[in-house]
């Protein structure tokens, strides 16, 4: 069983397919052998040892394996991947299959975008976050010594293949990171999706429904405008929490906390009804997402939000839930109000 939807990126004038199913990758790769001269898989050590061992015996397919973790979003790893592509003799008629979470997706997607000025690639997201979020939207890149994602490109894959087999051994913590983004998608688009999500987060429909929310938004506008800002629900605070915690708090976990605190701001400003505010808190709870966090340094926490590149005037901007599943408003909230509400 698999389901496929078409993703149209108007800004790029191109489209590609997003497919979700169980145990579908191998078959897709077999078919690709008829179309492409050479195929290389890029993945990380963890995913390689858990799922990709048997590609070892496939002489038509090369493999580039990098270290897992954020440190791999670096110039060194990019250089390593590009050199491996050359060593394997990849040409413009070759295919790069990127199998991994957000880290591998970003660095290997970027490598595909610059190798010989751009070569075909597939995203095969292996984490829940990547399946419903980071693999979609064409963002690729690495970190520099000055910050995260400072070098990169918008570059779309030819296909996104979400194979549910990869979720079988995904650690619980990673599942929760995905759930936070999936809940965010319910809050933006349709709160009816929440029940299915709670019941079976790793099901084909949960993944597809959530992915669709992101797909619909990036289709409208691939280059960071209007609706794309709705995806920032919970994220203004999440980014500040990641920094405040010295990145000890994972992104998804920070998003859960961010959704909670931003709902508090929304409620404190009188923008969301009490029952809807409670609905948001209950939703986080039902999904088993932890929201306890003590801000270590409130002053720098506020500074992180002001310095967020999305703000024109250094007043923090939020995508606040007004009606769950129906209405989001993108607005600035004064430092005074934030401080008052969060310290109340
Ligand atoms: P994301 O940014 O999507 O959360 P990362 O690329 O940082 O993902 O991956 C998080 C961690 O989970 C990495 O250590 C990675 O090797 C591991 N991982 C990724 N996919 C799987 C999977 N399907 N099963 C088990 N571990 C995985
Ligand atoms: Zn996020």
């Amino acid at each position: 069983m698999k389901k496929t939807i078409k993703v149209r990126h108007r800004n790029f004038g191109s489209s590609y397919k997003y497919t979700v199913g169980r145990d579908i990758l191998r078959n897709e790769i077999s078919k690709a052998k008829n179309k492409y001269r050479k195929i290389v898989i890029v993945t990380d050590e963890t995913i390689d040892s858990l799922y990709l061992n048997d590609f070892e015996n496939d002489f038509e397919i090369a493999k580039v394996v990098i270290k897992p973790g954020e440190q791999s979003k670096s110039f060194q790893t990019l250089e390593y991947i590009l050199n491996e592509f050359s060593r394997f003799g990849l040409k413009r008629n070759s295919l790069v299959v990127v199998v991994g979470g957000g880290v591998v997706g970003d660095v290997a997607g970027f490598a595909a975008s610059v190798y010989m000025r751009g070569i075909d690639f597939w995203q095969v997201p292996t984490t829940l976050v990547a399946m419903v979020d980071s693999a979609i939207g064409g963002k690729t890149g690495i970190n520099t010594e000055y910050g995260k994602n400072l070098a990169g490109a918008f570059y779309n894959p030819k296909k996104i293949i979400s194979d549910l087999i990869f979720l079988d051994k995904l650690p619980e913590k990673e599942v929760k990171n995905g759930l936070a983004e999936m809940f965010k998608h319910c809050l933006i688009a349709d709160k009816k999706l929440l029940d299915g999500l709670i019941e079976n987060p790793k099901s084909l429909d949960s993944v597809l429904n959530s992915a669709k929310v992101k797909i619909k938004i990036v289709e409208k506008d691939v280059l960071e405008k209007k609706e794309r800002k709705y995806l920032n629900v919970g994220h203004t605070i999440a980014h500040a929490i990641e920094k405040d915690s010295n990145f000890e708090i994972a992104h998804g976990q920070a998003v859960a906390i961010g959704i909670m605190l931003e709902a508090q701001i929304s409620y404190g400003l009188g923008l969301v009804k009490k029952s809807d505010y409670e609905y948001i808190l209950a939703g986080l709870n039902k999904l088993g997402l932890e929201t306890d966090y003590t801000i270590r340094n409130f002053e720098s926490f506020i500074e992180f939000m002001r310095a967020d590149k999305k703000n024109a005037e250094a007043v923090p901007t939020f995508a606040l839930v007004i009606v769950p599943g129906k209405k989001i408003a993108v607005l600035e909230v004064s430092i005074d109000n934030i401080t008052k509400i969060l310290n109340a």
Side-chain angles (χ1 to χ4, degrees), residues 22-297:
R22 197 172 170 84
D23 205 6
I24 53 175
L25 179 60
R26 261 151 239 280
N27 190 32
E28 293 279 352
I29 289 183
S30 300
K31 284 192 284 180
K33 286 177 181 170
N34 303 324
K35 180 166 178 210
Y36 293 98
R37 287 275 316 211
K38 278 195 170 128
I39 299 175
V40 62
I41 291 175
V42 187
T43 192
D44 76 23
E45 288 166 0
T46 310
I47 298 152
D48 185 40
S49 67
L50 288 175
Y51 307 95
L52 304 176
N53 275 328
D54 47 325
F55 278 109
E56 233 60 79
N57 308 320
D58 190 330
F59 295 110
E60 290 172 89
I61 294 173
K63 215 164 29 175
V64 181
V65 183
I66 64 173
K67 295 222 172 312
E70 187 74 20
Q71 321 79 267
S72 282
K73 283 180 60 173
S74 64
F75 283 110
Q76 290 89 321
T77 308
L78 176 67
E79 185 179 17
Y80 171 72
I81 296 171
L82 292 173
N83 284 331
E84 287 292 276
F85 286 177
S86 296
R87 198 166 69 80
F88 294 137
L90 290 207
K91 297 273 154 47
R92 305 262 357 237
N93 57 1
S94 305
L95 173 70
V96 175
V97 181
V98 178
V99 184
V103 168
V104 186
D106 275 356
V107 63
F110 190 30
S113 83
V114 292
Y115 185 74
M116 300 183 93
R117 302 197 178 91
I119 166 176
D120 283 3
F121 91 111
W122 292 356
Q123 283 280 18
V124 181
T126 62
T127 63
L128 207 43
V129 174
M131 287 181 186
V132 303
D133 187 8
S134 45
I136 305 160
K139 284 184 178 179
T140 69
I142 57 171
N143 307 326
T144 75
E145 63 182 287
Y146 289 93
K148 290 179 84 161
N149 301 320
L150 288 182
F154 277 101
Y155 192 66
N156 272 323
K158 290 290 170 202
K159 270 184 190 193
I160 302 177
I161 300 167
S162 290
D163 192 331
L164 301 174
I165 241 172
F166 290 108
L167 300 179
D168 292 351
K169 296 175 198 158
L170 188 69
E172 197 49 36
K173 183 175 161 261
E174 297 295 332
V175 174
K176 292 215 168 139
N177 286 338
L179 285 176
E181 302 286 3
M182 292 166 100
F183 181 51
K184 180 193 79 177
H185 287 163
C186 295
L187 287 177
I188 295 170
D190 189 353
K191 59 185 215 178
K192 285 200 295 280
L193 301 179
L194 183 64
D195 293 335
L197 180 60
I198 293 164
E199 209 168 295
N200 194 353
K202 299 192 276 184
S203 69
L204 193 154
D205 285 328
S206 290
V207 170
L208 187 64
N209 285 333
S210 188
K212 268 186 191 162
V213 176
K214 172 116 186 205
I215 288 168
K216 279 218 180 101
I217 290 174
V218 297
E219 272 184 340
K220 283 201 184 116
D221 193 335
V222 87
L223 297 171
E224 208 84 35
K225 286 180 208 149
K226 258 169 60 196
E227 275 96 347
R228 191 144 187 160
K229 294 214 168 105
Y230 297 169
L231 295 167
N232 286 333
V233 167
H235 276 63
T236 303
I237 288 201
H239 291 142
I241 284 179
E242 286 178 89
K243 290 181 191 146
D244 182 67
S245 75
N246 244 319
F247 293 95
E248 281 162 30
I249 301 280
H251 178 68
Q253 204 187 340
V255 170
I257 300 163
I259 290 173
M260 193 265 293
L261 292 178
E262 291 187 13
Q264 206 169 305
I265 290 174
S266 216
Y267 182 55
L269 293 172
L271 297 172
V272 67
K273 277 199 306 198
K274 182 153 193 257
S275 57
D276 283 338
Y277 169 60
E278 283 165 353
Y279 169 86
I280 296 172
L281 301 192
L284 290 164
N285 202 359
K286 282 186 203 160
L287 289 169
L289 299 175
E290 312 214 351
T291 51
D292 286 341
Y293 181 74
T294 310
I295 295 165
R296 294 181 190 177
N297 184 331

